[in-house]
């Protein structure tokens, strides 16, 4: 990866995909940054569990992100192979994500500090069920309002 990390995926027979993310260009030379499990249903990522393996100040951090979808076409789904880019989260799904719930737990010694944030996304669609506009008050990576327009 151009971002100086590599991810190894293991596909299980039950549909779960486990992964390990390493700093550097290989598992052997890099430091393990995180590991987790991806859960898919109907070609949509419905849950992502992540454990951060870099422990800072004796804190162990885990995240669980749940996704809900509409029944309309994800514009990225028409790009051949895009659904194989598993590190891109919900954008690889068949449909458009309409709600994200991110739960974080930080364990320090015998104490656990938990938090949860919900993000909703709304869309406008064309006659072919493709989104033409996407709006959200905030997202996982952006605390600000965003509006995306799709042109076909």
């Amino acid at each position: 990866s151009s971002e100086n990390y590599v991810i190894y995926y293991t596909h299980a027979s039950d549909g779960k995909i486990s992964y390990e993310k390493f700093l550097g260009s290989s598992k052997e030379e890099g430091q393990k940054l995180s590991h987790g499990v991806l859960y898919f249903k109907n070609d949509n990522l419905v849950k992502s569990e992540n454990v951060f393996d870099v422990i800072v100040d004796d804190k162990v951090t885990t995240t669980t992100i749940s996704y809900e979808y509409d029944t309309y076409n994800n514009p990225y789904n028409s790009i051949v192979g895009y659904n194989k880019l598993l590190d891109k989260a919900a954008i690889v799904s068949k449909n458009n994500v309409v709600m994200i719930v991110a739960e974080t737990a930080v364990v320090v010694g015998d104490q656990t500090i938990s938090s949860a944030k919900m993000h909703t996304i709304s869309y406008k669609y064309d006659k072919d069920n493709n989104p033409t506009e996407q709006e959200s008050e905030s997202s996982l990576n952006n605390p600000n309002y965003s509006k995306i327009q799709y042109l076909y």
Side-chain angles (χ1 to χ4, degrees), residues 108-147:
V108 182
D110 61 352
Q111 290 187 329
T112 301
I113 302 165
S114 298
S115 67
K117 291 183 180 179
M118 183 176 74
H119 306 280
T120 56
I121 302 136
S122 61
Y123 298 88
K124 291 181 183 173
Y125 303 94
D126 65 15
K127 63 180 174 53
D128 296 319
N129 294 328
N130 295 308
T132 57
E133 188 174 283
Q134 171 185 331
E135 288 185 278
S136 62
E137 292 299 321
S138 65
S139 68
L140 288 174
N141 301 318
N142 181 2
N144 303 310
Y145 169 83
S146 75
K147 180 177 182 179

Side-chain angles (χ1 to χ4, degrees), residues 5 16 19 33 51 56 69 79 81 104 110 117 131:
Y5 65 82
K16 295 177 191 172
Y19 66 90
L33 298 174
V51 177
V56 178
Y69 296 87
I79 301 170
T104 302
D110 61 352
K117 291 183 180 179

Side-chain angles (χ1 to χ4, degrees), residues 6-96:
V6 63
I7 303 173
Y8 294 91
Y9 295 99
T10 304
H11 296 257
S13 61
D14 62 0
K16 295 177 191 172
I17 302 172
S18 59
Y19 66 90
E20 294 179 305
K21 183 176 181 178
F22 292 85
L23 183 63
S25 60
S26 73
K27 185 184 234 183
E28 292 74 28
E29 79 172 38
Q31 175 187 12
K32 189 185 214 184
L33 298 174
S34 63
H35 69 278
V37 181
L38 305 173
Y39 299 85
F40 284 85
K41 182 178 180 181
N42 300 325
D43 295 325
N44 289 317
L45 177 65
V46 293
K47 184 166 72 168
S48 172
E49 298 173 338
N50 188 41
V51 177
F52 295 93
D53 291 304
V54 178
I55 298 173
V56 178
D57 298 328
D58 294 326
K59 295 178 187 174
V60 177
T61 303
T62 61
T63 60
T64 300
I65 303 172
S66 302
Y67 304 91
E68 290 186 18
Y69 296 87
D70 62 14
T71 57
Y72 300 102
N73 304 320
N74 177 344
Y76 296 96
N77 198 40
S78 62
I79 301 170
V80 175
Y82 204 85
N83 63 336
K84 305 296 183 208
L85 301 174
L86 299 176
D87 63 325
K88 300 301 180 197
I91 203 164
V92 303
S93 296
K94 178 181 177 182
N95 303 113
N96 302 295

